Amino acid sequence: MAHAPVLVNLLDLDAAALAAYVESLGEKPFRARQVLRWIHRRGARDFDAMSDLAKSLRAQLAEHAQIAAPGVLSDVTATDGTRKWLLDVGLGNAIETVFIPETDRGTLCISTQAGCAVNCVFCSTGRQGFNRNLTTAEIIGQLWMVEHSGEPVAARPATEADGSPRVRTVSNVVLMGMGEPLQNYDAVLPALRLMLDDNAYGLSRRRVTVSTSGMVPLMDRLAADCPVALAVSLHASNDALRDTLVPLNRKYPLRELLAACRRYLRTAPRDFITFEYVMLDGINDSDQHAAELVALVADVPCKFNLIPFNPFPQSGFKRSSTERIRTFAQHLADAGIVTTTRRTRGDDIDAACGQLAGDIRDRTRVSERTGRKVIPLTASAH
Ligand code: SAH
Ligand code: SF4
């Protein structure tokens, strides 16, 4: 029986892998640069469009390769302009990508796994369990899709902050969607390289942020292989509490995690680590916790990003009050730590991590709630 040929998905390949692939087709490896630019800078979907490539190479690629990103299941925009896509990654699994427009930048929050094995108790993705790692194509495909969707993603000025014409939609990428990026290291690394590559997205290392729950050995690998900005999900001021909130802490306790943060800073593109801290009412938000936190991070140059807990059904947690968050933030600021509190955005489209994909097994509910429906816009051009 004849088998259908397996097509190589070129979105899986970073520059080095694409050069090797092009060479395996009997072509000069430098041709890969042109192909990379066609795919990632110009959003080409088929090989006929690649007009400056030799016909023979185009024919070879058309026969053996494809450019395939995950399909869009739903696409909703919140009243504040936050836009969220639910993407199909097969076998009933869905992932989320969120675009957050701001006046001086556009941040894309991408997923790295369907589900997550770390199982943090306050996280909707964690509660869904782990389904599978995303491929490089599925990870970079989220950025590719948003950059090349051919429509305005949201109302953003036609010029950049410095007055130059706006060339791209996405100025910052954060790996803060579903999944623990460092538990899918082998697929994440080529995706990061593509984000930084001048022939692809050309983002500076400071504008690409990996967020981790604390995979200590892989933080060291990332520092060596591809140091980008790092956010660490701390969420607790001592091991006893963190053990209960972030189960990975039992493997890599705070002392080891903070030592890894200090090592990371030797090669990091920024001179601080961002600590994320979810504000859970009555759990980790007291003045004592704040004081303990200040002492804990005393020798790690850092900033804090306080995240008001995003509730989801049966979570069992409540968001700290605005007043409590303000007092907690002030406590850190008084100790000289730059502290920001994340604005809750996209509340009306469940933009919080993992909320929408958790419903995918009940497709009716998803289409009722979100299917291609656009919630009235205030901040968007369309
Ligand atoms: N797995 C990585 C990155 C994805 S989660 C990590 O944990 O760092 C991105 C951030 O959202 C993390 O800081 C995570 O702890 C936080 N988060 C998860 N669930 C949340 C919720 N329900 N409300 C607020 N923040 C949450
Ligand atoms: Fe996984 Fe991050 Fe959620 Fe923890 S917070 S379960 S590491 S996605």
Side-chain angles (χ1 to χ4, degrees), residues 122-123 176-177 179-180 211-213 233 235 276 278 307 309-310:
F122 52 82
C123 172
M176 291 186 187
E180 166 50 53
S211 174
T212 181
S213 53
S233 294
H235 304 322
E276 295 163 279
V278 62
I307 315 174
F309 171 64
N310 264 307

Side-chain angles (χ1 to χ4, degrees), residues 170-203:
V170 178
S171 62
N172 296 60
V173 175
V174 293
L175 277 63
M176 291 186 187
M178 301 170 69
E180 166 50 53
L182 297 184
Q183 283 194 343
N184 185 14
Y185 191 82
D186 291 345
V188 164
L189 184 61
L192 290 175
R193 290 191 164 134
L194 284 167
M195 289 172 203
L196 305 181
D197 197 304
D198 280 340
N199 292 312
Y201 300 92
L203 296 171

Side-chain angles (χ1 to χ4, degrees), residues 129-174:
F130 176 68
N131 292 312
R132 71 168 172 84
N133 280 327
L134 299 187
T135 62
T136 297
E138 289 165 338
I139 298 168
I140 201 69
Q142 298 169 62
L143 176 55
W144 180 86
M145 183 241 351
V146 172
E147 279 290 68
H148 305 298
S149 57
E151 48 177 313
V153 168
R156 294 197 52 229
T159 52
E160 301 289 354
D162 65 1
S164 59
R166 184 160 72 78
V167 289
R168 61 161 69 101
T169 304
V170 178
S171 62
N172 296 60
V173 175
V174 293

Side-chain angles (χ1 to χ4, degrees), residues 19 21-22 72 151 156 226 231 304 318:
Y21 177 66
V22 164
V72 177
E151 48 177 313
R156 294 197 52 229
C226 189
F304 265 80
K318 282 202 313 197

Side-chain angles (χ1 to χ4, degrees), residues 218-241:
L218 291 156
M219 288 164 66
D220 289 324
R221 267 185 78 186
L222 186 66
D225 291 343
C226 189
V228 292
L230 188 68
V232 171
S233 294
L234 206 54
H235 304 322
S237 52
N238 60 62
D239 279 319
L241 180 56

